[in-house]
């Protein structure tokens, strides 16, 4: 092990998670088969006395742990940026305070990044546990990652080559979805992303987790990310299309169907989201879906009816 510059810098922010959850998360990192890392834990709840004592006790047990105490609560995004400023490793590994890393996670991700010098971000599948129990799978290569639909990487499971950041940080405007904003930025920069096709992280789902419901400003920012990703996709594939200030119109949907060639399952979901972004009545939505030959699943149809009856905005683009 190189005691001067570690191979990996692990970044975790802690706030109000139960201490036993945090301990499970910390132990899963300290018990990794790959041991050359520094473990940066940002304490974003300095007034929580028992958390301060808890972190100090863990620091005493393992000197790879570095504690950063915020003067006040500043939120996850800014806390992660403080961790990035402190990081010395060649690779940045994200970790959340309520998740559990599989023992060989770091070993397998480092091996992949050492073997594939072109890959800038390496993720994996994750296993939801707690309130849910299922495996969430992600595309292996970026040829199958359609960023204008959704995020294609599990944030707490990623390892990032530090050199590709080159001054890039998490965008502080994003209280949630800060990872999605970072992936879109890296996608625009041409960074290669890859997911190891196995579960390397157990992701806890619980009612006690901080809600990720977005307010109107946050929703607008997320829409902007998808628009940016779609416009970039068209540009890099020489497709003469762009979503502009006027947003989505029926005529633009027609152009997209004609010019953008996507796998059938992906295109169906994409067109469904485009139709939802046209501001019109419920009956008009159904008419547009029929017009563009988009078959809805029962779940999508139920969502459409329920949200429109409630008067919610379903706009995606």
């Amino acid at each position: 092990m190189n005691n001067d510059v570690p191979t990996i810098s692990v970044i975790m922010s802690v706030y109000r998670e139960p201490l036993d959850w945090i301990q499970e998360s910390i132990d899963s990192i300290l018990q990794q088969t790959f041991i050359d890392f520094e473990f940066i834990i940002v304490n974003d709840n300095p007034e929580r006395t028992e958390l301060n004592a808890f972190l100090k006790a863990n620091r005493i047990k393992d000197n790879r742990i570095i504690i950063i105490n915020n003067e006040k609560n500043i939120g996850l995004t800014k806390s992660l940026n403080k961790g990035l400023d402190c990081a010395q490793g060649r690779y940045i590994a994200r970790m959340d305070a309520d998740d559990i890393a599989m023992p060989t996670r770091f070993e397998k991700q480092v091996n992949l990044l050492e073997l594939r010098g072109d890959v800038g971000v390496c993720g994996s599948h994750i296993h939801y546990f707690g309130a849910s129990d299922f495996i969430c799978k992600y595309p292996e290569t970026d040829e199958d990652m359609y960023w204008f639909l959704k995020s294609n990487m599990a944030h707490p499971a990623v390892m990032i080559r530090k050199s590709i950041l080159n001054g890039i940080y998490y965008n502080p405007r994003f209280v949630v979805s800060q990872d999605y904003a970072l992936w879109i930025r890296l996608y625009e920069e041409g960074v290669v992303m890859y997911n190891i096709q196995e579960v390397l992280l157990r992701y806890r789902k619980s009612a006690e987790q901080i809600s990720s419901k977005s307010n109107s400003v946050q929703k607008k920012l997320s829409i902007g990310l998808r628009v940016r990703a779609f416009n970039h996709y068209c540009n890099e594939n020489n497709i003469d299309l762009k979503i502009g200030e006027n947003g989505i119109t029926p005529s633009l949907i027609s152009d997209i169907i004609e010019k953008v060639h996507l796998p059938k399952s992906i295109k169906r979901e994409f067109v469904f989201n485009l139709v939802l972004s046209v501001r019109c009545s419920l009956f008009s939505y159904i008419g547009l879906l029929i017009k563009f030959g988009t078959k809805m699943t029962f779940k999508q149809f139920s969502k459409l009816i329920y949200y429109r009856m409630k008067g919610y905005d379903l706009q995606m683009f």
Side-chain angles (χ1 to χ4, degrees):
M1 184 195 313
N2 186 338
N3 292 319
D4 297 322
V5 180
T7 300
I8 305 170
S9 294
V10 187
I11 299 178
M12 172 194 288
S13 176
V14 295
Y15 178 50
R16 67 181 187 188
E17 299 85 0
L19 296 185
D20 57 336
W21 291 5
I22 301 175
Q23 190 64 65
E24 283 185 280
S25 182
I26 289 175
D27 288 345
S28 75
I29 296 300
L30 299 181
Q31 295 166 8
Q32 288 290 302
T33 56
F34 188 94
I35 63 174
D36 184 16
F37 59 82
E38 61 179 2
F39 191 0
I40 302 167
I41 303 177
V42 183
N43 178 7
D44 196 30
N45 196 351
E47 296 182 358
R48 187 180 173 189
T49 306
E50 71 276 14
L51 178 59
N52 291 323
F54 170 84
L55 293 176
K56 287 179 181 178
N58 275 277
R59 171 67 181 86
I60 291 171
K61 289 189 293 185
D62 197 307
N63 62 13
R64 290 175 296 180
I65 295 177
I66 300 169
I67 307 298
I68 299 176
N69 289 300
N70 293 338
E71 294 182 3
K72 61 180 182 180
N73 173 247
I74 61 175
L76 176 61
T77 307
K78 292 181 180 179
S79 293
L80 293 180
N81 283 338
K82 289 184 73 170
L84 285 177
D85 275 332
C86 180
Q88 298 296 312
R90 289 190 289 117
Y91 303 122
I92 306 294
R94 271 287 290 117
M95 185 64 185
D96 279 345
D98 51 1
D99 296 335
I100 299 173
M102 305 306 286
T104 58
R105 173 191 164 185
F106 289 174
E107 179 182 351
K108 290 178 178 179
Q109 290 182 307
V110 168
N111 286 343
L112 186 282
L113 290 167
E114 294 287 331
L115 181 66
R116 291 280 308 275
D118 59 316
V119 174
V121 184
C122 176
S124 74
H125 298 332
I126 59 175
H127 182 186
Y128 284 90
F129 74 103
S132 301
D133 184 8
F134 66 94
I135 292 176
C136 183
K137 297 183 178 181
Y138 292 88
E140 182 173 9
T141 64
D142 47 13
E143 288 86 355
D144 296 319
M145 297 180 184
Y146 299 96
W147 292 100
F148 48 81
L149 279 179
K150 57 189 175 184
S151 177
N152 291 280
M153 309 203 85
H155 191 202
V158 299
M159 185 175 287
I160 306 171
R161 194 182 302 275
K162 188 180 180 184
S163 60
I164 63 110
L165 293 177
N166 193 28
I168 297 175
Y169 289 85
Y170 291 96
N171 190 327
R173 293 188 303 158
F174 288 81
V175 179
V176 296
S177 300
Q178 59 279 117
D179 57 325
Y180 192 25
L182 179 63
W183 308 148
I184 297 301
R185 174 74 184 277
L186 296 179
Y187 168 55
E188 292 173 332
E189 296 285 336
V191 172
V192 176
M193 305 189 203
Y194 183 92
N195 282 308
I196 294 174
Q197 297 295 284
E198 63 178 286
V199 172
L200 295 182
L201 183 103
R202 297 182 66 214
Y203 185 100
R204 190 188 303 269
K205 293 289 287 184
S206 168
E208 295 187 35
Q209 289 174 312
I210 298 174
S211 172
S212 62
K213 291 182 180 178
S214 305
N215 57 29
S216 59
V217 174
Q218 194 67 36
K219 180 177 176 61
K220 185 176 181 180
L221 290 171
S222 296
I223 291 172
L225 289 175
R226 285 188 288 272
V227 169
R228 276 174 51 188
F230 177 72
N231 289 342
H232 181 74
Y233 175 85
C234 290
N235 183 61
E236 70 174 357
N237 287 282
N238 298 312
I239 300 171
D240 183 22
L241 278 174
K242 183 177 182 180
I243 299 176
E245 294 181 359
N246 295 328
I248 301 299
T249 63
S251 61
L252 181 56
I253 297 176
S254 296
D255 287 342
I256 290 172
I257 290 175
E258 179 184 350
K259 297 180 181 180
V260 179
H261 302 290
L262 301 172
K264 188 175 181 180
S265 59
I266 297 294
K267 193 156 190 174
R268 185 187 305 119
E269 179 183 358
F270 183 39
V271 174
F272 180 77
N273 290 339
L274 291 174
V275 169
L276 294 186
S277 299
V278 178
R279 297 190 179 279
C280 58
S281 68
L282 173 60
F283 292 109
S284 296
Y285 278 132
I286 295 174
L288 288 173
L289 290 168
I290 293 173
K291 174 182 178 181
F292 295 120
T294 304
K295 295 181 180 179
M296 283 186 291
T297 64
F298 179 76
K299 184 177 180 179
Q300 288 175 324
F301 183 74
S302 300
K303 177 181 178 181
L304 176 60
I305 298 296
Y306 177 78
Y307 277 78
R308 287 305 298 171
M309 288 179 65
K310 290 288 187 178
Y312 296 158
D313 185 4
L314 282 173
Q315 184 181 7
M316 299 293 289
F317 289 92

